[in-house]
Amino acid sequence: MPYATRARRAVQETVSGLPREFWWLWTSTLVNRLGAFVATFMALYLTLDRGYSATYAGLVAALHGLGGVVSSLGGGVMTDRLGRRPTLLIAQASTAVSVALLGFVRDPVAIAGVAFLVGAASNASRPAVQAMMADIVRPEDRIRAFSLNYWAINLGFAISSMAAGFIAEVSYLAGFLIEAGMTMVCAIVVFLKLPESKPAEVATTTARDDSVGLGTVLRDGRFMSVVGLSFLVALIFQQASVGLPVAMGEAGFTPAEYGMAVAVNGVLIVVLQIPVTRFIEHRDPRRLLVVSSVLAGYGFGLTAFAGSVGVIALTVCVWTLAEIVNAPTQTGLVVRLSPLHGRGRYQGMYTMSWSVAALVAPLMSGFVIDRFGAEWLWGLCAVVGTVAGLGYHVLMRRLPEEEAPTPVEPDVGVRSQPEVGAG
């Protein structure tokens, strides 16, 4: 069979069988990431355009991350109480307004406050997106759906990063307004095309909806252990944007060389996410998480032996493969361990593990590099990856089986999944 025919068939099998609502949600994700500007160029905007110090820029970045930590739980609660669609509308509309406002404020205190609001608003939609995908996609298709969504995130971010560089040369304000406009487009798409997917039995039974609170999530020992392991893995992946550039700078590499090395990450995700998904979607998630955790740790660990941009790029290939496998598998596991009527809160807690890692990683990497040297940071990554892999191996020995989905009322237009015990 010719290669082109095989490739076309592979793509068709990857995208087929997913509901229409998923593709509208996928489109919303892609448009959102295509308009990403603030997260990419915030530091340059504050230091070069506004003339603030690097310390102040770091404080604003930390407040942006803190907003994400707070809204992870808040967005999860809103997802379960208000529903997926209202939460997405509120989060995306709030993001659009706050991003536009950030382009106009000039007072340093006001900039810091609005940056916190941007981080909170933009992160609040994540639990709703993940819960809605779990609602509308059959269990056997979830890994594929989460992979396609992750692919859209990275494709959009890769394109927006390149476009943002040109936009910044013309006007930073234009970048803020473009992001605000595209985020509002996402809110409109959600309003017009996505029906509420919150399972009917949850939407009509208040007592049952209230039975899963944040305390329930915190008392779920196995799930919280998975959240802790997710935090460890996130600490490793965060080094791509915090530890790696600092270490390369101290080793005499230029910013352009760091950019070339880390660009391999985005390119590989766009190229390999779909074919790798076909390989992993029906395989044991425990084994995938163990292997990806170890691969991530030792991928960064190998950086200690890299003396050139080419070798660093090879290490990027190793941990990027781990990221491609880990991201959809981890998200699918969170859904599998979440009770049907508490998906938003569970997804919010999982999202928070990454938000907290984004706060901790810069402090950890800076301390280790300053006190002990970059080689110790990369060695620590290998240790953390090993610990996470062992943790997944132990915790997932008795993973609950998923059942086939049952349809909800015809006018809802989506499917709900039967409840899966949270262990």
Side-chain angles (χ1 to χ4, degrees):
M1 183 183 298
Y3 174 79
T5 302
R6 292 200 306 270
R8 184 166 58 251
R9 177 176 296 180
V11 172
Q12 290 174 345
E13 291 176 356
T14 300
V15 302
S16 64
L18 296 171
R20 180 182 58 187
E21 292 81 8
F22 165 80
W23 289 111
W24 282 116
L25 192 59
W26 183 90
T27 300
S28 175
T29 298
L30 179 61
V31 173
N32 199 348
R33 299 309 298 173
L34 283 171
F37 182 87
V38 172
T40 306
F41 282 90
M42 174 65 80
L44 292 177
Y45 166 70
L46 293 175
T47 55
L48 298 182
D49 192 68
R50 301 257 59 90
Y52 292 113
S53 67
T55 300
Y56 174 76
L59 173 62
V60 172
L63 287 172
H64 182 274
L66 181 60
V69 172
V70 173
S71 68
S72 296
L73 296 180
V77 173
M78 289 174 60
T79 297
D80 284 337
R81 287 188 176 273
L82 300 181
R84 285 65 159 137
R85 187 168 176 260
T87 301
L88 282 173
L89 284 171
I90 293 171
Q92 291 176 341
S94 300
T95 301
V97 172
S98 58
V99 166
L101 180 61
L102 187 60
F104 290 100
V105 293
R106 294 293 181 266
D107 181 75
V109 176
I111 291 175
V114 176
F116 174 84
L117 294 178
V118 171
S122 60
N123 209 53
S125 64
R126 294 182 182 180
V129 170
Q130 293 165 348
M132 182 174 276
M133 283 194 181
D135 295 338
I136 65 181
V137 176
R138 296 177 301 175
E140 60 267 30
D141 293 330
R142 283 180 188 152
I143 295 297
R144 182 157 54 101
F146 287 132
S147 292
L148 287 168
N149 191 63
Y150 193 67
W151 183 83
I153 290 172
N154 283 277
L155 176 63
F157 183 75
I159 295 174
S160 69
S161 296
M162 292 184 290
F166 294 104
I167 294 172
E169 292 183 359
V170 178
S171 169
Y172 281 95
L173 176 60
F176 287 113
L177 295 179
I178 290 172
E179 175 166 351
M182 297 190 76
T183 305
M184 190 60 74
V185 168
C186 293
I188 295 172
V189 168
V190 168
F191 178 77
L192 295 178
K193 297 296 184 179
L194 288 175
E196 176 56 57
S197 69
K198 186 179 179 182
E201 61 269 29
V202 177
T204 59
T205 308
T206 303
R208 191 172 176 192
D209 179 54
D210 291 340
S211 66
V212 178
L214 290 178
T216 308
V217 184
L218 293 171
R219 289 191 297 270
D220 188 340
R222 180 170 57 183
F223 179 79
M224 290 306 299
S225 297
V226 170
V227 170
L229 294 173
S230 170
F231 169 75
L232 294 180
V233 173
L235 275 181
I236 298 173
F237 286 127
Q238 288 291 332
Q239 300 311 318
S241 57
V242 293
L244 186 59
V246 173
M248 289 185 67
E250 289 192 350
F253 293 100
T254 66
E257 288 173 321
Y258 162 72
M260 288 188 294
V262 81
V264 174
N265 172 253
V267 172
L268 285 181
I269 290 175
V270 171
V271 173
L272 296 181
Q273 187 71 61
I274 292 179
V276 170
T277 295
R278 285 173 49 80
F279 179 77
I280 69 173
E281 63 177 325
H282 297 303
R283 297 182 182 273
D284 180 10
R286 179 180 65 184
R287 184 173 300 173
L288 294 175
L289 288 171
V290 170
V291 171
S292 63
S293 299
V294 174
L295 202 61
Y298 282 88
F300 278 96
L302 289 172
T303 310
F305 305 100
S308 67
V309 176
V311 177
I312 292 175
L314 290 177
T315 68
V316 173
C317 293
V318 175
W319 56 258
T320 296
L321 181 60
E323 182 181 0
I324 290 172
V325 173
N326 182 273
T329 308
Q330 179 93 282
T331 308
L333 173 63
V334 171
V335 173
R336 195 167 177 176
L337 295 179
S338 305
L340 179 65
H341 50 290
R343 278 180 179 155
R345 290 173 173 86
Y346 274 69
Q347 289 287 353
M349 187 65 70
Y350 165 65
T351 301
M352 192 182 72
S353 69
W354 283 82
S355 299
V356 174
L359 282 178
V360 174
L363 302 176
M364 182 192 78
S365 60
F367 175 80
V368 173
I369 290 175
D370 287 342
R371 291 290 298 273
F372 306 104
E375 292 79 7
W376 281 85
L377 176 63
W378 308 131
L380 183 60
C381 286
V383 172
V384 172
T386 302
V387 171
L390 290 173
Y392 280 120
H393 176 73
V394 172
L395 286 171
M396 296 180 62
R397 287 179 178 175
R398 299 175 62 186
L399 194 65
E401 294 295 331
E402 285 185 305
E403 303 174 23
T406 56
V408 298
E409 295 299 323
D411 60 337
V412 175
V414 296
R415 303 198 204 195
S416 74
Q417 318 303 335
E419 181 174 336
V420 178

